[in-house]
Amino acid sequence: MTERPLVFGILNTTPDSFSDGGLHLDVDTAVAHAVALVEAGADVIDVGGESTRPGAARVPIEEEQRRVLPVIGELASRGIVVSVDTMNAATARAAIAAGAWIVNDVSGGLADARMASVIADTDARYIAMHWRGHSTQMADRAHYGDVADEVRDELAGRLDALEQAGVARERVVLDPGIGFAKTARHNWEVLAGLDRIAELGAPLLVGASRKRFLGDLPVRGRFESESEILPVTARDLPTAVISAVAAMSGVWAVRVHDAAATATALDVVEAILSARRDAVDPRGSQAPIPPTIDRRGS
């Protein structure tokens, strides 16, 4: 690990997202939440206007843009680094024009064939997630032999396709797609296999925040029923632990709802790694940061 991972703070301007749907529907409320995330430790605000929870219906592009563009414009005017969470090329282009630095596409360019050309025509950083289909289809496509190897190989295919479409590899970040077309066991195996996915040489983003597989962790008597799943907001602690583990694996960024918990977890990792470096080299020298690690996302 050469540098502390970026923290992407999640801002859903949707009525139906699984953990915070309906909480940030108007511009003022959304901006206030974004500012709070930044104050808590977020480096980037990831603004999304279409839920990708399992079973979610698609949103018309015009409605998606109505939800996200005013928020992106206001955040950018305040100097906040913004990412747009969209599968739609038209929304990506409009968001970049409004001030977004990064396009976070959960489909990796598969949902909209025009996405690659939008990225190629701009200076935006592009996050391509492992994806096997829309929310209504993905549960039926969660079939793997070795899930980490298959995710790596499918992401390699996306890297090649994006490069052929004119997107330079150094502008692409890969996301293994925790919770998308994967069972709980698959999600844990992907996290355990991040080093194999990192073999592709691209920066990695991990987005596990509050997802269903964390709700399946044992509750150990903290609730009335041992069979009860961990409530959504109680998943921030295991999310922060995953952020720490991902940081130890050298990821470029983590995407979370609770920026404060993850920022604290990353402080702990940073202190441990600093002590480790000092033990090896008492002068405290560090390796140079690779050019692909850019905290501004450009």
Side-chain angles (χ1 to χ4, degrees):
M1 177 177 168
T2 56
E3 186 176 346
R4 178 191 180 100
L6 294 168
V7 176
F8 278 53
I10 298 169
L11 177 57
N12 291 317
T13 61
T14 56
D16 56 343
S17 291
F18 75 94
S19 86
D20 56 0
L23 296 181
H24 314 117
L25 294 181
D26 65 88
V27 174
D28 290 343
T29 302
V31 169
H33 184 61
V35 170
L37 285 169
V38 170
E39 291 174 347
D43 302 291
V44 180
I45 299 300
D46 192 41
V47 183
E50 178 177 14
S51 175
T52 52
R53 63 177 173 78
R58 296 302 310 275
V59 172
I61 292 175
E62 295 78 12
E63 174 61 17
E64 180 191 35
Q65 293 185 14
R66 185 194 68 78
R67 294 173 180 178
V68 303
L69 295 182
V71 176
I72 291 170
E74 179 60 27
L75 295 179
S77 73
R78 297 179 182 219
I80 294 173
V81 180
V82 181
S83 169
V84 61
D85 179 1
T86 184
M87 293 180 279
N88 295 310
T91 299
R93 189 180 293 279
I96 293 167
W101 282 75
I102 305 164
V103 175
N104 180 16
D105 180 357
V106 299
S107 81
L110 292 170
D112 189 336
R114 299 166 296 176
M115 182 65 83
S117 64
V118 168
I119 303 303
D121 289 344
T122 67
D123 294 327
R125 198 82 186 251
Y126 183 60
I127 301 171
M129 196 191 79
H130 176 260
W131 189 78
R132 286 188 167 182
H134 289 290
S135 297
T136 54
Q137 307 163 332
M138 61 184 180
D140 296 330
R141 299 179 180 180
H143 302 288
Y144 302 87
D146 185 309
V147 61
D149 280 355
E150 290 184 41
V151 167
R152 179 196 60 206
D153 294 346
E154 290 172 31
L155 286 173
R158 295 311 306 146
L159 269 177
D160 290 341
L162 289 164
E163 186 173 41
Q164 291 170 10
V167 180
R169 283 184 178 246
E170 58 267 24
R171 292 171 57 199
V172 180
V173 176
L174 299 178
D175 178 345
I178 300 296
F180 288 79
K182 296 170 186 70
T183 65
R185 180 65 182 175
H186 292 148
N187 292 325
W188 292 117
E189 290 177 355
V190 167
L191 289 170
L194 285 177
D195 58 333
R196 282 185 276 164
I197 299 169
E199 291 171 0
L200 296 174
L204 298 183
L205 177 144
V206 169
S209 186
R210 296 183 179 175
K211 290 188 176 176
R212 171 71 190 223
F213 80 110
L214 299 179
D216 293 335
L217 289 167
V219 296
R220 303 191 188 284
R222 285 171 286 176
F223 303 99
E224 292 184 3
S225 170
E226 286 294 329
S227 63
E228 184 177 355
I229 67 169
L230 201 63
V232 169
T233 53
R235 300 174 197 172
D236 288 331
L237 178 55
T239 297
V241 174
I242 289 174
S243 295
V245 172
M248 296 290 285
S249 298
V251 302
W252 178 77
V254 290
R255 182 179 180 273
V256 299
H257 295 84
D258 182 350
T262 276
T264 299
L266 297 182
D267 287 341
V268 172
V269 172
E270 196 167 42
I272 292 170
L273 294 181
S274 177
R276 180 182 295 171
R277 286 192 297 264
D278 290 346
V280 173
D281 182 355
R283 297 168 299 175
S285 63
Q286 299 182 35
I289 299 170
T292 54
I293 307 297
D294 184 344
R295 297 182 68 79
R296 292 286 291 177
S298 61

